[in-house]
């Protein structure tokens, strides 16, 4: 098969489109012909090298995958059909620890992500355990290329807002940095949950697009760097119920200051850096809750997907490029000008 791999960590130039051995299915696996694979910021971090993550080279990136079933392992012959369209749950867990038994796979001590800890979907074929394979219903209102843009960010945003922050109808939610996959999935989830959603970006065109997707209030954080003061004005000095912040260091203090008393900040990442200052007095006196969240469980993904299958949530795709142009896609994602997902097709 053809695959885009890298033999050493580095800049986008290390990505190489080349021949690679076809994967062989084991008895509990399914062979997928990959139709599309969506990029995540995770791909950039893994390509550059994450301290402590020692990969067997060459590595194949790609966590968000859609495709068609082409071969079934002998134990899963009756579970799926050849030709069926599917997406892949990128979470890989042991299945036997206390957290997996409880259905909390993303707390599994050996939790890993397809494309990060395991070779992923920047390839024509992928062999994957049947329990990670999710059928796309025949009447789902999206095509197979757009379907690749769904799993990772949808499950992440769902766990953050529904399971962790427990967002309620009428809540005010502030999303920092609209345009990325988690933020866009979060916006759509929060609107279906009945929240009022305020979003920030440095780009007016991204803010306009966010309004089309249902954002109630938009703030350009370049024009208004003290945006927590604007949040105070908009909420009559109350603050918002929930902040979704995956930017981290650059926005952390302002995110905490945007919360109402007893409000919840939920984070799944720190793209601007991991070390921020927290005023502990403010945390206890104002009874703030800081909630960490990573990926989601198999159940959370399947529950969230119902909203995609019934057309309430739409994946937002910026553009589609051939797999051989993965390098160009990485450069685009590094520049951060996209609105929604970049998708590669083998
Ligand atoms: Zn486990």
């Amino acid at each position: 098969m053809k695959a885009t791999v890298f033999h050493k960590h580095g800049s986008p130039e290390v990505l190489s489109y080349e021949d690679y051995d076809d994967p062989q299915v084991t008895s509990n696996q399914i062979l997928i012909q990959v139709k599309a694979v969506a990029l995540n910021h995770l791909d950039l971090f893994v390509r550059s090298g994450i301290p402590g993550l020692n990969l067997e080279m060459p590595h194949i990136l790609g966590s968000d995958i859609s495709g068609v079933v082409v071969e079934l392992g002998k134990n899963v012959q009756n579970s799926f059909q050849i030709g069926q369209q599917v997406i892949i749950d990128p979470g890989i867990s042991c299945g036997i620890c206390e957290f997996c038994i409880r259905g909390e796979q993303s707390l599994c001590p050996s939790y890993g992500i397809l494309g990060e800890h395991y070779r992923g979907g920047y390839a024509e074929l992928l062999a994957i355990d049947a329990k990670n394979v999710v059928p796309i219903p025949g009447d789902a209102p999206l095509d197979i290329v757009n379907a690749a843009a769904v799993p990772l960010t949808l499950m992440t945003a769902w766990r953050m807002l529904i399971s962790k922050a427990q967002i309620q109808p009428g809540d005010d939610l502030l999303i920092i940095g609209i345009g990325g996959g988690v933020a866009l999935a979060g916006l759509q989830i929060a609107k279906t949950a009945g929240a009022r959603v305020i979003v920030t970006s440095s780009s007016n065109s991204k803010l306009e697009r966010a309004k089309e997707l249902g954002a109630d209030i938009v703030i350009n954080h370049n024009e208004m760097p003290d945006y927590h003061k604007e949040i105070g004005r908009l909420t009559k000095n109350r603050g918002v119920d929930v902040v979704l912040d995956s930017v981290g260091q650059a926005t952390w203090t302002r995110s905490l200051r945007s919360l109402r008393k007893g409000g919840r900040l939920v984070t799944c990442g720190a793209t601007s850096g991991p070390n921020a200052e927290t005023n502990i007095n403010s945390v206890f006196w104002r009874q703030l809750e800081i909630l960490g969240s990573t990926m989601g469980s198999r159940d959370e993904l399947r529950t969230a997907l119902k909203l995609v299958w019934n057309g309430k949530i739409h994946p937002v795709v910026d553009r589609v490029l051939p797999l051989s142009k993965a390098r160009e896609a990485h450069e685009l994602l590094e520049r951060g000008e996209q609105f929604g997902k970049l998708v590669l097709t083998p």
Side-chain angles (χ1 to χ4, degrees), residues 9 42 45-54 116:
H9 295 291
L42 178 64
F45 300 138
V46 175
R47 190 207 69 221
S48 301
I50 298 174
L53 178 70
N54 297 309
E116 179 181 1

Side-chain angles (χ1 to χ4, degrees), residues 6-9 20 53-60 116-119:
F6 60 84
H7 296 265
K8 57 174 191 195
H9 295 291
Y20 194 88
L53 178 70
N54 297 309
L55 297 173
E56 189 189 320
M57 295 293 174
H59 185 70
I60 303 178
E116 179 181 1
H117 308 88
Y118 304 89
R119 292 194 180 101

Side-chain angles (χ1 to χ4, degrees), residues 93-101 104-105 107-111:
S93 53
C94 77
I96 51 173
C97 72
E98 60 170 309
F99 303 104
C100 285
I101 297 295
E104 286 280 13
Q105 286 85 10
L107 290 174
C108 175
S110 57
Y111 190 73

Side-chain angles (χ1 to χ4, degrees), residues 7-39:
H7 296 265
K8 57 174 191 195
H9 295 291
S11 62
E13 284 81 61
V14 300
L15 295 171
S16 160
Y17 184 68
E18 55 190 60
D19 290 316
Y20 194 88
D21 289 344
D22 285 3
Q24 305 297 316
V25 285
T26 61
S27 49
N28 292 320
Q29 286 189 321
I30 293 180
L31 188 66
I32 307 295
Q33 183 189 1
V34 177
K35 291 291 183 185
V37 55
L39 271 68

